[in-house]
Amino acid sequence: MTEAAHIRRPFSLEGRVALVTGAGRGLGFEMARALALSGATVIINGRDEARLRGPAEAIAAEAGRHVETAAFDVADTAAASAAITDIDRRFGRLDILVNNVGMRDRRPLKDFTATEMQALLGADLIAPALLARDAAELMARHRHGRIINISSIAAAVIYGHDAVYSAAKAGLNGLTRALAVDYARAGITANAIAPGMFATETNQAMVQNPDLAAFVDLRVPVGRWGRPAEIGAAAVFLASDEASFVNGHILVVDGGQTVRM
Ligand SMILES: NC(=O)c1ccc[n+]([C@@H]2O[C@H](COP(=O)([O-])OP(=O)(O)OC[C@H]3O[C@@H](n4cnc5c(N)ncnc54)[C@H](OP(=O)(O)O)[C@@H]3O)[C@@H](O)[C@H]2O)c1
């Protein structure tokens, strides 16, 4: 689109190809949905092809465009690399990478084995770094790319017994800033989204917990859990041409939780 067309219709992702990891449900699904509704060709990832079919069809029906799937485990480095090569073969480009998969394992540090820590760091930090590395090669070819890492407010404020996840997300923020510096001259920006407490399927037991309801009421200025769909616009904005000068930013989407004293 021309610059004038963008002013008339901002945040259009028409012609862009986006890969969203862990997009079969939860925040990944909502970001994939929002990107597709904004005009992008979206590829949704998860570990099981059969579990991706329903979500892909749901987004396709709503957005009126085909939604692709790419089943692989992000922690399987060979499979993840092969998936990027396959996207290159199928689409000839990749404009937007949303590194959304995030494994959480809330336990006291003393209960973790080294292998368990490595598994969490592998999925939450090493996998996004390797996917960004491989995706950046494709993006650089068209001198255009948007890397969006899904972090967490847990990188900055600590709930307790969450050391490995908090460390992984803090590392992801550091990775985001480093990518922002290293890839900017190739036309690629890197930013992160740090969600607060969202009422996703995975969090349903917590959403039903009356103690946590009292916590949310007290600590979250808007006084409620985030609705999963409320993450979509943040991803669309960071993916858009309009965000071309936004680079190395951590966009907090938490209803004000982290600014409350
Ligand atoms: N929900 C929140 O309140 C919240 C708050 C702060 C930050 N976050 C961050 O936001 C992101 C999404 O959270 P969520 O709660 O929406 O996710 P989720 O529901 O736990 O998982 C989303 C999807 O990820 C897929 N997945 C899991 N491991 C994978 C792997 N190794 N490779 C490929 N796909 C994988 C799962 O599909 P399969 O099982 O079919 O593979 C699942 O459908 C995470 O990075 C999380 O840390 C969430």
Side-chain angles (χ1 to χ4, degrees):
M1 278 209 297
T2 62
E3 200 172 322
H6 266 287
I7 291 165
R8 282 197 301 273
R9 197 183 154 208
F11 313 118
S12 169
L13 300 176
E14 227 39 81
R16 302 297 187 200
V17 175
L19 169 65
V20 185
T21 68
R25 63 170 190 234
L27 302 184
F29 173 82
E30 291 297 341
M31 289 186 283
R33 178 178 168 232
L35 295 174
L37 287 168
S38 300
T41 296
V42 174
I43 305 153
I44 63 168
N45 155 265
R47 286 166 297 189
D48 185 313
E49 179 64 36
R51 279 204 292 271
L52 290 173
R53 251 174 255 138
E57 280 165 18
I59 297 173
E62 190 181 2
R65 57 180 60 248
H66 194 62
V67 173
E68 305 281 338
T69 58
F72 63 93
D73 184 334
V74 297
D76 178 339
T77 53
S81 225
I84 300 292
T85 306
D86 192 50
I87 287 170
D88 190 14
R89 189 184 53 76
R90 282 157 73 191
F91 303 95
R93 63 186 303 135
L94 179 62
D95 302 284
I96 301 157
L97 167 66
V98 183
N99 272 318
N100 169 70
V101 167
M103 194 179 152
R104 191 173 195 188
D105 189 353
R106 239 190 107 232
R107 279 186 286 157
L109 190 61
K110 67 177 175 53
D111 294 346
F112 270 87
T113 65
T115 308
E116 288 167 342
M117 281 186 203
Q118 277 152 1
L120 196 149
L121 290 167
D124 292 16
L125 183 55
I126 297 172
L130 292 174
L131 278 168
R133 178 197 69 183
D134 293 347
E137 266 188 54
L138 270 70
M139 292 171 175
R141 225 187 284 145
H142 296 278
R143 298 203 57 75
H144 175 85
R146 299 277 185 267
I147 297 169
I148 303 170
N149 293 325
I150 308 309
S151 180
S152 169
I153 59 168
V157 290
I158 311 299
Y159 191 70
H161 294 160
D162 214 6
V164 187
Y165 179 76
S166 297
K169 293 298 191 184
L172 193 60
N173 288 354
L175 173 74
T176 303
R177 295 185 181 108
L179 296 172
V181 170
D182 290 350
Y183 288 112
R185 298 295 169 101
I188 300 166
T189 63
N191 294 285
I193 297 172
M197 298 171 75
F198 274 82
T200 51
E201 286 155 69
T202 305
N203 285 345
Q204 276 318 302
M206 293 202 288
V207 174
Q208 308 303 331
N209 179 334
D211 292 342
L212 263 176
F215 175 88
V216 167
D217 188 42
L218 181 72
R219 302 301 298 272
V220 183
V222 302
R224 60 171 174 79
W225 287 77
R227 300 178 193 107
E230 289 178 306
I231 206 75
V236 169
F237 168 64
L238 292 175
S240 71
D241 286 9
E242 282 68 20
S244 51
F245 207 54
V246 181
N247 192 24
H249 185 65
I250 314 292
L251 178 52
V252 177
V253 183
D254 71 346
Q257 184 176 348
T258 48
V259 296
R260 165 154 239 163
M261 184 130 107

